[in-house]
Amino acid sequence: MTKKCIQRILCCTIHLSVYFKTCAFQDGGNLLVAVDEGADHTMSIWDWSRSERGTKITETKCATETVVAAEFHPLEAGVIVSVGKGHVNFWTLDNTSLTLSRKTGLFDLRDKPKYVTCLAFSFNGDVLTGDSNGNVFIWGRGYNAVTKALRNVYEGPIFSLCVLKDGSIVTGGGKDRKMVQYDSSYRKTGLEATLPEHLGSVRTICQGKGSQFVIGSTRNSILQGTFELNFQEIVTGHVDEVWALATHPTQNQFLTAGYDNLLHLWDTLTHRAVWSSNIGDQAQSACFSKDGEVIIIAMASGKWMVLDANTREIYGLFQDGVEALHSARFSPDGKFLALGSRDGILYIYQVSESFKKYHRMGRCLVSSKYHFNVIITN
């Protein structure tokens, strides 16, 4: 692909992203399908190779309900499949009249889901859909009716379907955080995996290098691997406001924590998480001990904990008031810990036994009530 073609694709995508709910390129072609977020959920077809910002070929009302995804069929020219709330639609683009005609997908009444959440295409051209009931339906090539059903694959919705290079299919999502593999004939291969709870559910799956595939989770993490060799986190993230940030005093590490109850220790050289932990509460502030062996995590609930930086063993859990503890700091000599609360109270603790024991010496009322920082000097 030439540099000019790439620039045109980028221009077209940027132009549409403000207004459109979903869009997809034609495999190996010049067309782009997009569905907007308006009341009519208008579907439009664009030729991205015409002009610098693309040319709209045609458009039509797509559905009365939310549209989740729309894709060109990879083996059927001019065929588009769209899915969303309670529907699957099969569209055909007439190259002469430049109009779109629709066939509605037919469900058995007992199988009709509240949402069709994802779609994919098998190597033989079948359409695969996953839904909010945890079912996978196969729509045979050329049919607008279900020809095979895989029921109760998951507890909860299916968020992703991925057809791998060997024709096998990996499904992911659900409340159980599982991934299940099927062969090209839609039979279970026996290969399954479950994401750790702190990573959330499977949100998307795509083919990676060789036999590997890549997984994006609902908690902003990315994993890579295979069923046989397991999966490794390559990107870890937070899913809510991050309030706590502290650097290790001697190593190339830092920690982050926030309102998603997650605590991550990061390595600045590898740009990856050393470990992650669910602390069970919303973190507001944090600090390392002078030797870097102990972490103080202060919460939005007024609780704070003492944590081993290596083993994550909890040495102590304390409560000071019910307001958020906006600041936690050790004195330079490591003999004292100060905690500043949102209600304007400053709590002072004496530290002993290599930062593992804490005894409250007292508290004082600070005149400035909100969002103050604590700095301790010898």
Side-chain angles (χ1 to χ4, degrees), residues 57-305:
I57 296 173
T58 187
E59 67 178 19
T60 187
K61 180 179 178 180
C62 184
T64 58
E65 300 285 0
T66 301
V67 177
V68 174
E71 298 277 354
F72 281 97
H73 197 297
L75 301 180
E76 299 282 350
V79 174
I80 300 166
V81 183
S82 64
V83 301
K85 186 175 181 180
H87 72 270
V88 175
N89 287 328
F90 298 84
W91 303 84
T92 302
L93 175 64
D94 188 304
N95 288 328
T96 303
S97 62
L98 298 180
T99 58
L100 285 163
S101 59
R102 178 180 65 184
K103 285 185 179 180
T104 301
L106 304 177
F107 287 98
D108 187 300
L109 290 178
R110 69 190 177 99
D111 288 330
K112 187 172 183 179
K114 184 175 181 180
Y115 274 91
V116 181
T117 50
C118 56
L119 79 153
F121 300 92
S122 71
F123 273 17
N124 64 6
D126 292 344
V127 177
L128 315 176
T129 61
D131 62 42
S132 54
N133 294 333
N135 300 325
V136 175
F137 292 134
I138 294 91
W139 310 72
R141 184 174 177 179
Y143 289 88
N144 65 322
V146 176
T147 56
K148 186 177 180 62
L150 308 175
R151 293 185 174 86
N152 302 316
V153 177
Y154 294 100
E155 177 188 354
I158 296 175
F159 285 153
S160 186
L161 295 167
C162 179
V163 179
L164 302 180
K165 295 173 184 176
D166 61 2
S168 63
I169 301 145
V170 179
T171 63
K175 297 178 181 178
D176 47 19
R177 310 184 311 281
K178 289 172 58 178
M179 291 175 292
V180 180
Q181 187 180 51
Y182 291 81
D183 63 21
S184 57
S185 299
Y186 313 121
R187 296 171 299 196
K188 281 188 176 182
T189 64
L191 296 176
E192 297 186 4
T194 303
L195 294 188
E197 186 174 0
H198 74 274
L199 296 180
S201 300
V202 179
R203 186 63 187 88
T204 187
I205 305 170
C206 66
Q207 180 81 60
K209 293 182 179 179
S211 61
Q212 293 188 334
F213 53 98
V214 181
I215 304 156
S217 82
T218 55
R219 299 188 73 86
N220 287 355
S221 295
I222 300 175
L223 299 92
Q224 180 176 279
T226 65
F227 285 109
E228 294 84 356
L229 301 177
N230 216 332
F231 299 91
Q232 301 295 323
E233 292 177 60
I234 56 176
V235 174
T236 304
H238 286 282
V239 293
D240 209 329
E241 296 179 30
V242 177
W243 281 89
L245 173 66
T247 56
H248 196 285
T250 59
Q251 299 182 23
N252 295 311
Q253 294 178 345
F254 67 95
L255 65 84
T256 59
Y259 284 1
D260 57 3
N261 296 358
L262 293 180
L263 170 66
H264 299 307
L265 180 67
W266 303 88
D267 187 292
T268 61
L269 300 179
T270 63
H271 296 175
R272 293 187 180 182
V274 179
W275 52 253
S276 300
S277 183
N278 191 320
I279 56 178
D281 204 344
Q282 295 180 329
Q284 191 72 49
S285 58
C287 65
F288 279 96
S289 60
K290 186 179 180 180
D291 59 7
E293 296 298 314
V294 171
I295 299 170
I296 302 296
I297 305 293
M299 316 296 186
S301 62
K303 294 179 182 178
W304 59 281
M305 68 170 58

